[in-house]
Amino acid sequence: MPKDSPHARIRRALTVHRLLVDPGGFGARTPLAAAHGTVALGAPASLPSVALGEVLGERRSRYRFGPLDRDRLSTLLGWALGPGRTTAAPNGPPRTLRLNPSAGGLDSLDVHLVVLRRIGDIAVGTYVFEPSAHVLHRTGTGPCVEALGSCLVQPQFAARASVFVVLAGRLDKTLVKYTERHYRTLHVDAGIAAQNLYLVSTALELAGCAVSGFYDDHIANLVGLPDDSVPLLAFALGGRGEVGEQR
């Protein structure tokens, strides 16, 4: 356990983060209104019986998106970012670890969704995914395509995708245990989560693409990140659309 206070470590990590942030962009020109409510996603369906080698070989970053249905969104979130095995803790209650591993088994990432097109009873707006209950907590409502587009280096992702997943690093949950060097490890945790999103979306025949070209302050404001959280990586998501660019 580091000897100095978590607050001091968070402050230093945020200083480093702000030095690396691109201050450009147009700003949040279309702010969203606050919203509340919970959407129960229902239990994730079983994954298709697809060989791992086939999924690895088929994985692509896809830039053409079709409609996304509610069941496959639920299944994707559950299998890529949901709860996994439960382990016994030596000095406390059992802990349930996520299917996306993280350093120290900590809940280092929050998962925010910008729903750009209505998906069943999931209205357009911003949400936070709660893995343990498999629900979405609504946080904002409004013209999400315009709002998200103003946060992106490539605003066409907002015009094409059905959902934009934002992975946010929780400094308050991780720097209690580790020094601010763990700021770097948070990016590794986000990369592992993105790989899970790639592989599960491929198995479900969905289109997805990792996105790092965003303006941190703008997207943090859009999804309502607290001051001790930082946006690390995003993932554009939709159904398989027409054949287009991929890599």
Side-chain angles (χ1 to χ4, degrees):
M1 176 74 69
K3 293 182 179 180
D4 57 353
S5 72
H7 178 74
R9 295 194 291 274
I10 291 171
R11 186 178 65 250
R12 290 194 294 267
L14 286 172
T15 298
V16 171
H17 179 79
R18 289 174 183 135
L19 288 172
L20 300 174
V21 167
D22 185 347
F26 302 106
R29 295 177 296 175
T30 314
L32 302 184
H36 305 282
T38 299
V39 178
L41 293 171
S46 299
L47 288 177
S49 298
V50 184
L52 177 59
E54 182 178 345
V55 174
L56 289 168
E58 176 64 17
R59 188 216 63 79
R60 300 286 188 279
S61 289
R62 302 177 188 275
Y63 311 127
R64 296 288 187 268
F65 304 92
L68 176 63
D69 63 84
R70 189 185 191 283
D71 290 343
R72 285 196 291 177
L73 174 62
S74 171
T75 300
L76 172 70
L77 293 174
W79 283 103
L81 305 170
R85 61 189 174 91
T86 299
T87 63
N91 299 309
R95 295 179 58 206
T96 298
L97 305 177
R98 292 194 195 181
L99 290 170
N100 54 300
S102 62
L106 299 174
D107 288 333
S108 60
L109 301 178
D110 277 346
V111 180
H112 296 260
L113 273 66
V114 184
V115 177
L116 300 159
R117 287 157 187 80
R118 188 178 186 91
I119 304 172
D121 63 341
I122 306 174
V124 170
T126 55
Y127 298 81
V128 178
F129 174 54
E130 182 185 344
S132 59
H134 200 63
V135 300
L136 298 177
H137 297 293
R138 194 173 190 188
T139 57
T141 184
C144 283
V145 172
E146 294 85 351
L148 178 62
S150 69
C151 300
L152 301 179
V153 176
Q154 295 175 288
Q156 57 265 40
F157 276 112
R160 295 175 180 175
S162 294
V163 173
F164 207 74
V165 179
V166 178
L167 302 174
R170 292 291 302 266
L171 298 174
D172 59 326
K173 289 189 176 181
T174 54
L175 298 190
V176 172
K177 179 175 182 179
Y178 296 118
T179 68
E180 56 269 33
R181 185 181 188 278
H182 188 68
Y183 168 77
R184 302 191 298 180
T185 316
L186 283 171
H187 292 78
V188 176
D189 291 350
I192 293 170
Q195 180 73 323
N196 276 14
L197 287 167
Y198 267 121
L199 296 179
V200 177
S201 64
T202 300
L204 294 173
E205 298 185 349
L206 298 174
C209 182
V211 178
S212 60
F214 52 77
Y215 302 107
D216 291 54
D217 290 344
H218 303 334
I219 207 161
N221 289 335
L222 174 64
V223 299
L225 295 188
D227 292 340
D228 48 17
S229 292
V230 292
L232 299 174
L233 191 62
F235 196 82
L237 180 67
R240 292 277 178 94
E242 59 186 276
V243 176
E245 290 181 281
Q246 55 188 34
R247 59 177 170 83

PDB file of all heavy atoms in Angstrom, residues 15-44:
ATOM      1  N   THR A  15      -3.027  15.283 -13.262  1.00  0.00           N
ATOM      2  CA  THR A  15      -2.108  16.249 -13.842  1.00  0.00           C
ATOM      3  C   THR A  15      -1.446  15.678 -15.082  1.00  0.00           C
ATOM      4  O   THR A  15      -1.350  16.335 -16.131  1.00  0.00           O
ATOM      5  CB  THR A  15      -1.038  16.661 -12.812  1.00  0.00           C
ATOM      6  OG1 THR A  15      -1.676  17.284 -11.692  1.00  0.00           O
ATOM      7  CG2 THR A  15      -0.035  17.627 -13.427  1.00  0.00           C
ATOM      8  N   VAL A  16      -0.990  14.422 -14.993  1.00  0.00           N
ATOM      9  CA  VAL A  16      -0.383  13.761 -16.152  1.00  0.00           C
ATOM     10  C   VAL A  16      -1.411  13.624 -17.279  1.00  0.00           C
ATOM     11  O   VAL A  16      -1.117  13.912 -18.446  1.00  0.00           O
ATOM     12  CB  VAL A  16       0.159  12.374 -15.750  1.00  0.00           C
ATOM     13  CG1 VAL A  16       0.599  11.593 -16.978  1.00  0.00           C
ATOM     14  CG2 VAL A  16       1.314  12.523 -14.767  1.00  0.00           C
ATOM     15  N   HIS A  17      -2.619  13.205 -16.923  1.00  0.00           N
ATOM     16  CA  HIS A  17      -3.656  13.017 -17.941  1.00  0.00           C
ATOM     17  C   HIS A  17      -3.939  14.317 -18.687  1.00  0.00           C
ATOM     18  O   HIS A  17      -4.030  14.327 -19.918  1.00  0.00           O
ATOM     19  CB  HIS A  17      -4.939  12.493 -17.278  1.00  0.00           C
ATOM     20  CG  HIS A  17      -6.061  12.295 -18.243  1.00  0.00           C
ATOM     21  ND1 HIS A  17      -6.137  11.199 -19.071  1.00  0.00           N
ATOM     22  CD2 HIS A  17      -7.147  13.070 -18.517  1.00  0.00           C
ATOM     23  CE1 HIS A  17      -7.227  11.293 -19.823  1.00  0.00           C
ATOM     24  NE2 HIS A  17      -7.849  12.416 -19.510  1.00  0.00           N
ATOM     25  N   ARG A  18      -4.041  15.404 -17.976  1.00  0.00           N
ATOM     26  CA  ARG A  18      -4.380  16.689 -18.610  1.00  0.00           C
ATOM     27  C   ARG A  18      -3.252  17.192 -19.510  1.00  0.00           C
ATOM     28  O   ARG A  18      -3.501  17.898 -20.489  1.00  0.00           O
ATOM     29  CB  ARG A  18      -4.730  17.713 -17.539  1.00  0.00           C
ATOM     30  CG  ARG A  18      -6.089  17.404 -16.886  1.00  0.00           C
ATOM     31  CD  ARG A  18      -6.404  18.299 -15.722  1.00  0.00           C
ATOM     32  NE  ARG A  18      -7.670  17.925 -15.101  1.00  0.00           N
ATOM     33  CZ  ARG A  18      -7.880  17.815 -13.807  1.00  0.00           C
ATOM     34  NH1 ARG A  18      -6.871  18.061 -12.969  1.00  0.00           N
ATOM     35  NH2 ARG A  18      -9.049  17.461 -13.337  1.00  0.00           N
ATOM     36  N   LEU A  19      -2.020  16.829 -19.200  1.00  0.00           N
ATOM     37  CA  LEU A  19      -0.913  17.195 -20.077  1.00  0.00           C
ATOM     38  C   LEU A  19      -0.995  16.488 -21.427  1.00  0.00           C
ATOM     39  O   LEU A  19      -0.468  16.984 -22.426  1.00  0.00           O
ATOM     40  CB  LEU A  19       0.420  16.854 -19.403  1.00  0.00           C
ATOM     41  CG  LEU A  19       0.842  17.734 -18.221  1.00  0.00           C
ATOM     42  CD1 LEU A  19       2.079  17.158 -17.540  1.00  0.00           C
ATOM     43  CD2 LEU A  19       1.096  19.167 -18.671  1.00  0.00           C
ATOM     44  N   LEU A  20      -1.653  15.330 -21.444  1.00  0.00           N
ATOM     45  CA  LEU A  20      -1.739  14.527 -22.661  1.00  0.00           C
ATOM     46  C   LEU A  20      -3.022  14.777 -23.444  1.00  0.00           C
ATOM     47  O   LEU A  20      -3.192  14.238 -24.539  1.00  0.00           O
ATOM     48  CB  LEU A  20      -1.658  13.039 -22.298  1.00  0.00           C
ATOM     49  CG  LEU A  20      -0.385  12.595 -21.577  1.00  0.00           C
ATOM     50  CD1 LEU A  20      -0.497  11.137 -21.157  1.00  0.00           C
ATOM     51  CD2 LEU A  20       0.830  12.795 -22.465  1.00  0.00           C
ATOM     52  N   VAL A  21      -3.940  15.564 -22.901  1.00  0.00           N
ATOM     53  CA  VAL A  21      -5.238  15.776 -23.533  1.00  0.00           C
ATOM     54  C   VAL A  21      -5.120  16.814 -24.642  1.00  0.00           C
ATOM     55  O   VAL A  21      -4.514  17.871 -24.461  1.00  0.00           O
ATOM     56  CB  VAL A  21      -6.281  16.234 -22.486  1.00  0.00           C
ATOM     57  CG1 VAL A  21      -7.535  16.770 -23.160  1.00  0.00           C
ATOM     58  CG2 VAL A  21      -6.637  15.076 -21.574  1.00  0.00           C
ATOM     59  N   ASP A  22      -5.716  16.498 -25.799  1.00  0.00           N
ATOM     60  CA  ASP A  22      -5.791  17.445 -26.902  1.00  0.00           C
ATOM     61  C   ASP A  22      -6.922  18.425 -26.609  1.00  0.00           C
ATOM     62  O   ASP A  22      -8.088  18.024 -26.506  1.00  0.00           O
ATOM     63  CB  ASP A  22      -6.074  16.689 -28.202  1.00  0.00           C
ATOM     64  CG  ASP A  22      -6.058  17.593 -29.419  1.00  0.00           C
ATOM     65  OD1 ASP A  22      -6.073  18.823 -29.256  1.00  0.00           O
ATOM     66  OD2 ASP A  22      -6.041  17.066 -30.546  1.00  0.00           O
ATOM     67  N   PRO A  23      -6.617  19.723 -26.472  1.00  0.00           N
ATOM     68  CA  PRO A  23      -7.673  20.685 -26.112  1.00  0.00           C
ATOM     69  C   PRO A  23      -8.523  21.117 -27.290  1.00  0.00           C
ATOM     70  O   PRO A  23      -9.375  21.984 -27.168  1.00  0.00           O
ATOM     71  CB  PRO A  23      -6.864  21.872 -25.568  1.00  0.00           C
ATOM     72  CG  PRO A  23      -5.592  21.826 -26.347  1.00  0.00           C
ATOM     73  CD  PRO A  23      -5.292  20.360 -26.547  1.00  0.00           C
ATOM     74  N   GLY A  24      -8.299  20.533 -28.474  1.00  0.00           N
ATOM     75  CA  GLY A  24      -9.013  20.966 -29.668  1.00  0.00           C
ATOM     76  C   GLY A  24     -10.466  20.543 -29.685  1.00  0.00           C
ATOM     77  O   GLY A  24     -11.042  20.120 -28.690  1.00  0.00           O
ATOM     78  N   GLY A  25     -11.075  20.640 -30.852  1.00  0.00           N
ATOM     79  CA  GLY A  25     -12.471  20.228 -31.000  1.00  0.00           C
ATOM     80  C   GLY A  25     -13.420  21.395 -30.895  1.00  0.00           C
ATOM     81  O   GLY A  25     -13.034  22.543 -30.677  1.00  0.00           O
ATOM     82  N   PHE A  26     -14.680  21.094 -31.060  1.00  0.00           N
ATOM     83  CA  PHE A  26     -15.710  22.121 -31.113  1.00  0.00           C
ATOM     84  C   PHE A  26     -16.426  22.307 -29.783  1.00  0.00           C
ATOM     85  O   PHE A  26     -17.241  23.205 -29.629  1.00  0.00           O
ATOM     86  CB  PHE A  26     -16.739  21.767 -32.187  1.00  0.00           C
ATOM     87  CG  PHE A  26     -16.139  21.605 -33.547  1.00  0.00           C
ATOM     88  CD1 PHE A  26     -15.979  20.352 -34.104  1.00  0.00           C
ATOM     89  CD2 PHE A  26     -15.714  22.716 -34.261  1.00  0.00           C
ATOM     90  CE1 PHE A  26     -15.421  20.209 -35.358  1.00  0.00           C
ATOM     91  CE2 PHE A  26     -15.157  22.570 -35.516  1.00  0.00           C
ATOM     92  CZ  PHE A  26     -15.001  21.317 -36.077  1.00  0.00           C
ATOM     93  N   GLY A  27     -16.174  21.439 -28.835  1.00  0.00           N
ATOM     94  CA  GLY A  27     -16.877  21.533 -27.562  1.00  0.00           C
ATOM     95  C   GLY A  27     -18.237  20.863 -27.626  1.00  0.00           C
ATOM     96  O   GLY A  27     -18.711  20.458 -28.681  1.00  0.00           O
ATOM     97  N   ALA A  28     -18.842  20.728 -26.474  1.00  0.00           N
ATOM     98  CA  ALA A  28     -20.158  20.097 -26.392  1.00  0.00           C
ATOM     99  C   ALA A  28     -21.209  21.125 -26.804  1.00  0.00           C
ATOM    100  O   ALA A  28     -21.837  21.787 -25.980  1.00  0.00           O
ATOM    101  CB  ALA A  28     -20.414  19.570 -24.990  1.00  0.00           C
ATOM    102  N   ARG A  29     -21.411  21.289 -28.099  1.00  0.00           N
ATOM    103  CA  ARG A  29     -22.313  22.323 -28.594  1.00  0.00           C
ATOM    104  C   ARG A  29     -23.777  21.980 -28.341  1.00  0.00           C
ATOM    105  O   ARG A  29     -24.629  22.846 -28.356  1.00  0.00           O
ATOM    106  CB  ARG A  29     -22.086  22.516 -30.093  1.00  0.00           C
ATOM    107  CG  ARG A  29     -20.703  23.069 -30.444  1.00  0.00           C
ATOM    108  CD  ARG A  29     -20.524  23.175 -31.927  1.00  0.00           C
ATOM    109  NE  ARG A  29     -20.570  21.854 -32.549  1.00  0.00           N
ATOM    110  CZ  ARG A  29     -20.532  21.662 -33.868  1.00  0.00           C
ATOM    111  NH1 ARG A  29     -20.468  22.693 -34.689  1.00  0.00           N
ATOM    112  NH2 ARG A  29     -20.555  20.442 -34.367  1.00  0.00           N
ATOM    113  N   THR A  30     -24.053  20.709 -28.151  1.00  0.00           N
ATOM    114  CA  THR A  30     -25.437  20.271 -27.956  1.00  0.00           C
ATOM    115  C   THR A  30     -25.507  19.483 -26.654  1.00  0.00           C
ATOM    116  O   THR A  30     -25.536  18.248 -26.663  1.00  0.00           O
ATOM    117  CB  THR A  30     -25.900  19.397 -29.140  1.00  0.00           C
ATOM    118  OG1 THR A  30     -25.512  20.018 -30.357  1.00  0.00           O
ATOM    119  CG2 THR A  30     -27.404  19.213 -29.116  1.00  0.00           C
ATOM    120  N   PRO A  31     -25.512  20.153 -25.500  1.00  0.00           N
ATOM    121  CA  PRO A  31     -25.535  19.419 -24.229  1.00  0.00           C
ATOM    122  C   PRO A  31     -26.847  18.666 -24.056  1.00  0.00           C
ATOM    123  O   PRO A  31     -27.897  19.067 -24.550  1.00  0.00           O
ATOM    124  CB  PRO A  31     -25.376  20.525 -23.185  1.00  0.00           C
ATOM    125  CG  PRO A  31     -25.876  21.761 -23.868  1.00  0.00           C
ATOM    126  CD  PRO A  31     -25.515  21.611 -25.312  1.00  0.00           C
ATOM    127  N   LEU A  32     -26.774  17.559 -23.337  1.00  0.00           N
ATOM    128  CA  LEU A  32     -27.949  16.748 -23.074  1.00  0.00           C
ATOM    129  C   LEU A  32     -28.588  17.160 -21.758  1.00  0.00           C
ATOM    130  O   LEU A  32     -27.921  17.667 -20.859  1.00  0.00           O
ATOM    131  CB  LEU A  32     -27.565  15.269 -23.020  1.00  0.00           C
ATOM    132  CG  LEU A  32     -26.903  14.679 -24.259  1.00  0.00           C
ATOM    133  CD1 LEU A  32     -26.679  13.183 -24.066  1.00  0.00           C
ATOM    134  CD2 LEU A  32     -27.713  14.936 -25.514  1.00  0.00           C
ATOM    135  N   ALA A  33     -29.875  16.907 -21.648  1.00  0.00           N
ATOM    136  CA  ALA A  33     -30.587  17.140 -20.392  1.00  0.00           C
ATOM    137  C   ALA A  33     -30.435  15.914 -19.505  1.00  0.00           C
ATOM    138  O   ALA A  33     -30.341  14.777 -19.995  1.00  0.00           O
ATOM    139  CB  ALA A  33     -32.067  17.405 -20.668  1.00  0.00           C
ATOM    140  N   ALA A  34     -30.384  16.138 -18.193  1.00  0.00           N
ATOM    141  CA  ALA A  34     -30.283  15.021 -17.256  1.00  0.00           C
ATOM    142  C   ALA A  34     -31.537  14.157 -17.350  1.00  0.00           C
ATOM    143  O   ALA A  34     -32.642  14.641 -17.606  1.00  0.00           O
ATOM    144  CB  ALA A  34     -30.103  15.535 -15.840  1.00  0.00           C
ATOM    145  N   ALA A  35     -31.355  12.861 -17.170  1.00  0.00           N
ATOM    146  CA  ALA A  35     -32.479  11.919 -17.216  1.00  0.00           C
ATOM    147  C   ALA A  35     -32.227  10.820 -16.205  1.00  0.00           C
ATOM    148  O   ALA A  35     -31.084  10.578 -15.786  1.00  0.00           O
ATOM    149  CB  ALA A  35     -32.639  11.333 -18.612  1.00  0.00           C
ATOM    150  N   HIS A  36     -33.290  10.142 -15.812  1.00  0.00           N
ATOM    151  CA  HIS A  36     -33.188   9.092 -14.809  1.00  0.00           C
ATOM    152  C   HIS A  36     -34.038   7.897 -15.245  1.00  0.00           C
ATOM    153  O   HIS A  36     -34.876   7.991 -16.132  1.00  0.00           O
ATOM    154  CB  HIS A  36     -33.652   9.610 -13.443  1.00  0.00           C
ATOM    155  CG  HIS A  36     -32.932  10.840 -12.995  1.00  0.00           C
ATOM    156  ND1 HIS A  36     -31.668  10.802 -12.457  1.00  0.00           N
ATOM    157  CD2 HIS A  36     -33.289  12.152 -13.029  1.00  0.00           C
ATOM    158  CE1 HIS A  36     -31.279  12.031 -12.168  1.00  0.00           C
ATOM    159  NE2 HIS A  36     -32.239  12.862 -12.501  1.00  0.00           N
ATOM    160  N   GLY A  37     -33.798   6.781 -14.596  1.00  0.00           N
ATOM    161  CA  GLY A  37     -34.540   5.566 -14.899  1.00  0.00           C
ATOM    162  C   GLY A  37     -33.589   4.411 -15.108  1.00  0.00           C
ATOM    163  O   GLY A  37     -32.387   4.593 -15.340  1.00  0.00           O
ATOM    164  N   THR A  38     -34.113   3.211 -15.014  1.00  0.00           N
ATOM    165  CA  THR A  38     -33.312   1.989 -15.144  1.00  0.00           C
ATOM    166  C   THR A  38     -33.959   1.074 -16.168  1.00  0.00           C
ATOM    167  O   THR A  38     -35.178   0.892 -16.174  1.00  0.00           O
ATOM    168  CB  THR A  38     -33.198   1.269 -13.794  1.00  0.00           C
ATOM    169  OG1 THR A  38     -32.542   2.131 -12.851  1.00  0.00           O
ATOM    170  CG2 THR A  38     -32.396  -0.015 -13.925  1.00  0.00           C
ATOM    171  N   VAL A  39     -33.138   0.518 -17.034  1.00  0.00           N
ATOM    172  CA  VAL A  39     -33.594  -0.452 -18.024  1.00  0.00           C
ATOM    173  C   VAL A  39     -32.990  -1.803 -17.672  1.00  0.00           C
ATOM    174  O   VAL A  39     -31.759  -1.958 -17.675  1.00  0.00           O
ATOM    175  CB  VAL A  39     -33.170  -0.056 -19.451  1.00  0.00           C
ATOM    176  CG1 VAL A  39     -33.615  -1.113 -20.457  1.00  0.00           C
ATOM    177  CG2 VAL A  39     -33.731   1.313 -19.821  1.00  0.00           C
ATOM    178  N   ALA A  40     -33.823  -2.778 -17.344  1.00  0.00           N
ATOM    179  CA  ALA A  40     -33.355  -4.141 -17.082  1.00  0.00           C
ATOM    180  C   ALA A  40     -33.147  -4.840 -18.425  1.00  0.00           C
ATOM    181  O   ALA A  40     -34.060  -4.914 -19.241  1.00  0.00           O
ATOM    182  CB  ALA A  40     -34.373  -4.888 -16.230  1.00  0.00           C
ATOM    183  N   LEU A  41     -31.947  -5.329 -18.637  1.00  0.00           N
ATOM    184  CA  LEU A  41     -31.613  -5.912 -19.928  1.00  0.00           C
ATOM    185  C   LEU A  41     -32.055  -7.365 -20.059  1.00  0.00           C
ATOM    186  O   LEU A  41     -32.149  -7.884 -21.160  1.00  0.00           O
ATOM    187  CB  LEU A  41     -30.105  -5.820 -20.167  1.00  0.00           C
ATOM    188  CG  LEU A  41     -29.556  -4.398 -20.357  1.00  0.00           C
ATOM    189  CD1 LEU A  41     -28.039  -4.424 -20.356  1.00  0.00           C
ATOM    190  CD2 LEU A  41     -30.082  -3.791 -21.641  1.00  0.00           C
ATOM    191  N   GLY A  42     -32.322  -8.034 -18.943  1.00  0.00           N
ATOM    192  CA  GLY A  42     -32.627  -9.458 -19.024  1.00  0.00           C
ATOM    193  C   GLY A  42     -31.346 -10.265 -19.128  1.00  0.00           C
ATOM    194  O   GLY A  42     -30.276  -9.740 -19.462  1.00  0.00           O
ATOM    195  N   ALA A  43     -31.442 -11.537 -18.857  1.00  0.00           N
ATOM    196  CA  ALA A  43     -30.243 -12.390 -18.851  1.00  0.00           C
ATOM    197  C   ALA A  43     -29.631 -12.473 -20.241  1.00  0.00           C
ATOM    198  O   ALA A  43     -30.350 -12.611 -21.235  1.00  0.00           O
ATOM    199  CB  ALA A  43     -30.607 -13.781 -18.353  1.00  0.00           C
ATOM    200  N   PRO A  44     -28.292 -12.370 -20.333  1.00  0.00           N
ATOM    201  CA  PRO A  44     -27.649 -12.528 -21.641  1.00  0.00           C
ATOM    202  C   PRO A  44     -27.901 -13.927 -22.210  1.00  0.00           C
ATOM    203  O   PRO A  44     -27.933 -14.918 -21.472  1.00  0.00           O
ATOM    204  CB  PRO A  44     -26.161 -12.327 -21.334  1.00  0.00           C
ATOM    205  CG  PRO A  44     -26.111 -11.668 -19.997  1.00  0.00           C
ATOM    206  CD  PRO A  44     -27.323 -12.123 -19.255  1.00  0.00           C
TER     207      PRO A  44
END
